[in-house]
Amino acid sequence: MTHKFDFLVIGSGIAGMSFALKAADKGRVAILCKTTLEEANTFYAQGGIASVTAPFDDFEKHIKDTLIAGDGICDQEVVEKVVKEAPAQIEELINWGVDFDKDDKGNFDLHKEGGHSEFRILHHKDTTGAEIQKSLIQSIKNHPNIKVFDHHFAIEILTQHHLGETITKHTENIECYGAYVLSERTRNIHTFLSKVTLIATGGIGSSYQTTTNPLVATGDGIAMVYRAKGLVKDMEFIQFHPTALYNPKERPSFLITEAMRGYGAILKTMNGKEFMQKYDERKSLAPRDIVARAIDTEMKNRGDDYVYLDVTHKDPEETKKHFPNIYEKCLSEGIDITKDYIPVAPAAHYLCGGIAVDLNAHTSINRLYACGECACTGLHGANRLASNSLIEAVVYADSAAKHAKATVNNYNFNERIPAWNDEGTSLPEEMVLITQSVKEVGAIMSNYVGIVRSNLRLKRAFDRLEILYQETENLFQRSIVSRDICELRNIINVGYLVIKQAMERKESRGLHYTIDYPEKNHLR
Ligand code: FAD
Ligand code: SIN
């Protein structure tokens, strides 16, 4: 079956939905998500969304904090754009129904997180993402020009390759005509033709064994663009959140928001001793790369599986009021955070790199945009400042919508795209061929491409992944397409990109730390 939409949006997080709402006054929009509309990284965001809104704060401070966290390689123009456009986008979110907490005087109740010099994080209790996600879902469901396709999995973006042309490397002429999409309900593969396509498929956390990301975060959009010979960059900068609740039986790991450290919680080793003063004068509120590496060092030196986060010295009622979700979750695990220390360990959390885009969120492929976590705008550089990703997503969705609306009528649907061809394929003999490989990718990434890297570990990861790549491509060619095999293929592709780009960076910077090049390269 063929569908035709002016705008095809792949992904229903904050990036995809806010773009859809803005594009829909210019044409018909299809929005796809691979499971339910809710299941996205956005839904799980806790701490909040950074924007200058208070009189004591100003753009220069937010810009400076972002640049410092990014460790010298943020794109200054992008940082200024995001910080300055942020307040208007906060207004848009409020207009769509998002309710940010306010204090008794009616001002925003602002939180502070690592690397921020001011209290500037707007939030809805400790469930900001869920509040945003629910409000946007309500708005898109009410919009007559937006059609939702849930449980629809995008397999590949359509380019000249699907018209029989051989594209072996990136060129300026590649065009995107839409996507092949698997309907999980009917098992049919549909052709979605579009004038303009937006990729908003989120992060890659699920390529790691331990992650805060929901299982849908398999880097599909990045892998699709890479296979279509689009440009992908800065993949070595994987942010590990310092404080995921330690529970080896749970995947994904439950996050203990950094806002809790902003509120006064203190990191301690298993013997109850503070340690962050050894690593940074900002102690528990140093930027994430520093805190995650410090925890990793302490755990390795002591042979411990976790450290503690201590919030027991704070007023119990205040703690429950600010962090009701975390309080309940920990209580369900037998931890009363007002009395007990919380066991925490770092987990893969956020991808700073991704699909290379310009200031309009346009990719290196014509008619194709990307925004949100799958995109690399240059805002984060080598390390993202806390709570800067939701705001980046909504600012760039706005830029993408403006640009796409101005150009959409220059394009026609490409009716020459053939239907998906599954000739010669059959069901894979055994699911274990896929499920075991997924586990192996997770183990390779977590063990060899983690917080601290080395040439030897990266080479080992590369060689192991190469074997899985060959096996999986072989299986893919002869299998009836399923979401499972596509996701496996995608985590292998993004894993390869992370390793390759990490091998190319012969220095330690921000989130990329290697024992073979421990210094920053000042010749850049
Ligand atoms: P997502 O919200 O991840 O949405 C991705 C969408 O793409 C989903 O709908 C998914 O179904 C769809 N999709 C993916 N692949 C396909 C496919 N092949 N076919 C069809 N659909 C597909 N950031 C902050 O700024 N502040 C915070 O407080 C914060 N807290 C966080 C807490 C947690 C636990 C996590 C995991 C992240 C947090 N982040 C936070 C990061 C932030 O939430 C994400 O970067 C952001 O929500 C990403 O939004 P997105 O729209 O790009 O992608
Ligand atoms: C958190 O709440 O600690 C996560 C914030 C973020 O990832 O920006």
Side-chain angles (χ1 to χ4, degrees):
M1 187 183 210
T2 300
H3 302 269
K4 291 183 200 166
F5 286 89
D6 298 301
F7 303 94
L8 172 63
V9 178
I10 309 176
S12 70
I14 186 172
M17 288 197 286
S18 58
F19 173 90
L21 285 165
K22 291 180 176 181
D25 58 34
K26 181 78 181 190
R28 290 181 64 240
V29 181
I31 184 160
L32 316 179
C33 59
K34 60 170 146 172
T35 59
T36 60
L37 276 175
E38 286 81 6
E39 190 63 354
N41 276 8
T42 301
F43 187 89
Y44 295 89
Q46 292 186 357
I49 180 162
S51 174
V52 173
T53 57
F56 53 77
D57 199 5
D58 62 46
F59 290 151
E60 287 315 311
K61 289 186 200 164
H62 190 184
I63 289 169
K64 192 170 165 211
D65 294 344
T66 304
L67 293 172
I68 291 172
D71 207 7
I73 57 164
C74 297
D75 181 327
Q76 173 105 20
E77 194 180 357
V78 171
V79 176
E80 289 184 11
K81 169 189 168 69
V82 173
V83 167
K84 291 179 182 170
E85 292 178 20
Q89 296 312 313
I90 294 290
E91 283 301 316
E92 296 268 29
L93 289 172
I94 293 169
N95 291 339
W96 286 322
V98 178
D99 177 25
F100 292 114
D101 288 354
K102 298 221 165 121
D103 63 20
D104 300 342
K105 297 194 183 98
N107 300 318
F108 289 122
D109 174 43
L110 300 170
H111 275 172
K112 188 173 183 182
E113 293 178 13
H116 286 273
S117 56
E118 289 293 357
F119 283 77
R120 69 165 68 95
I121 318 287
L122 292 94
H123 63 99
H124 178 93
K125 301 197 168 46
D126 56 353
T127 51
T128 310
E131 170 67 14
I132 292 175
Q133 190 79 359
K134 284 185 213 152
S135 305
L136 293 181
I137 289 175
Q138 201 53 44
S139 300
I140 64 164
K141 281 190 171 163
N142 289 338
H143 204 297
N145 253 3
I146 302 178
K147 188 160 166 50
V148 173
F149 293 84
D150 59 359
H151 297 279
H152 276 69
F153 182 90
I155 304 168
E156 293 293 5
I157 53 165
L158 304 168
T159 66
Q160 291 95 325
H161 169 78
H162 300 94
L163 298 170
E165 285 181 34
T166 307
I167 308 174
T168 52
K169 61 177 178 26
H170 174 67
T171 71
E172 285 176 2
N173 305 325
I174 306 172
E175 292 200 325
C176 175
Y177 310 122
Y180 285 132
V181 176
L182 169 70
S183 161
E184 290 255 56
R185 292 197 182 89
T186 64
R187 317 299 310 156
N188 292 326
I189 294 174
H190 299 227
T191 306
F192 276 74
L193 296 181
S194 60
K195 293 181 182 169
V196 158
T197 301
L198 173 82
I199 298 199
T201 48
I204 69 163
S206 287
S207 57
Y208 281 81
Q209 205 166 41
T210 310
T211 177
T212 61
N213 292 190
L215 301 182
V216 292
T218 48
D220 301 346
I222 298 168
M224 285 190 265
V225 168
Y226 166 67
R227 289 195 294 267
K229 312 290 182 243
L231 299 180
V232 173
K233 63 179 206 185
D234 290 358
M235 293 291 286
E236 66 274 36
F237 298 119
I238 307 286
Q239 186 166 69
F240 289 80
H241 198 290
T243 57
L245 183 63
Y246 176 74
N247 180 355
K249 288 192 229 108
E250 192 171 46
R251 188 168 190 265
S253 302
F254 180 80
L255 186 77
I256 308 293
T257 179
E258 192 158 315
M260 196 169 259
R261 276 175 281 135
Y263 167 76
I266 297 166
L267 286 161
K268 296 183 171 172
T269 44
M270 276 174 83
N271 59 355
K273 290 223 162 61
E274 279 186 49
F275 58 89
M276 275 310 299
Q277 71 284 355
K278 288 193 268 174
Y279 300 91
D280 194 284
E281 62 187 14
R282 290 161 289 185
K283 297 184 184 169
S284 293
L285 267 184
R288 265 180 212 177
D289 54 335
I290 295 170
V291 180
R293 231 170 14 250
I295 296 176
D296 189 66
T297 306
E298 290 293 324
M299 282 170 31
K300 287 210 170 95
N301 286 350
R302 295 175 43 84
D304 293 342
D305 289 335
Y306 52 84
V307 295
Y308 282 124
L309 190 64
D310 173 15
V311 73
T312 57
H313 52 286
K314 300 290 284 188
D315 175 52
E317 291 316 310
E318 274 294 302
T319 302
K320 284 190 232 172
K321 187 176 129 209
H322 281 279
F323 307 105
N325 181 37
I326 294 175
Y327 175 74
E328 287 302 330
K329 167 70 185 179
C330 289
L331 208 55
S332 76
E333 303 286 338
I335 305 158
D336 179 344
I337 64 170
T338 64
K339 298 191 188 106
D340 306 321
Y341 291 178
I342 312 168
V344 292
H349 181 63
Y350 183 83
L351 172 67
C352 294
I355 303 162
V357 294
D358 64 16
L359 289 166
N360 295 313
H362 198 274
T363 71
S364 59
I365 295 180
N366 297 309
R367 300 166 62 166
L368 184 69
Y369 295 80
C371 60
E373 192 167 338
C374 67
C376 181
T377 63
L379 174 71
H380 310 304
N383 181 29
R384 175 182 64 111
L385 184 66
S387 286
N388 258 359
S389 56
L390 291 170
I391 198 66
E392 179 199 39
V394 78
V395 165
Y396 267 83
D398 181 67
S399 304
K402 284 185 180 129
H403 195 260
K405 286 194 312 192
T407 57
V408 64
N409 287 335
N410 300 343
Y411 308 119
N412 295 315
F413 297 114
N414 193 321
E415 313 269 1
R416 292 183 300 131
I417 293 288
W420 176 265
N421 180 2
D422 59 3
E423 221 171 273
T425 58
S426 57
L427 286 172
E429 307 88 77
E430 296 171 307
M431 267 308 281
V432 70
L433 297 177
I434 297 172
T435 52
Q436 188 54 31
S437 296
V438 168
K439 284 187 196 149
E440 283 178 47
V441 175
I444 291 168
M445 296 303 288
S446 284
N447 292 322
Y448 303 132
V449 202
I451 295 171
V452 176
R453 298 159 182 181
S454 71
N455 288 343
L456 192 63
R457 288 179 202 168
L458 291 176
K459 170 79 169 70
R460 181 165 287 196
F462 190 91
D463 292 346
R464 299 283 197 275
L465 212 61
E466 174 67 22
I467 298 169
L468 290 168
Y469 170 75
Q470 296 299 345
E471 287 173 359
T472 305
E473 284 303 303
N474 212 310
L475 189 64
F476 183 79
Q477 297 309 328
R478 54 177 213 273
S479 300
I480 289 177
V481 165
S482 66
R483 185 179 137 202
D484 296 306
I485 187 141
C486 289
E487 287 185 339
L488 170 60
R489 228 182 147 214
N490 292 338
I491 57 173
I492 291 173
N493 282 174
V494 293
Y496 164 78
L497 286 166
V498 174
I499 296 164
K500 187 167 155 285
Q501 296 186 5
M503 283 171 147
E504 284 163 6
R505 185 168 288 280
K506 309 256 182 257
E507 64 168 345
S508 289
R509 184 182 291 274
L511 298 162
H512 174 71
Y513 183 83
T514 161
I515 53 175
D516 291 301
Y517 310 100
E519 300 301 323
K520 212 175 299 182
N521 179 1
H522 290 285
L523 300 175
R524 290 175 54 86

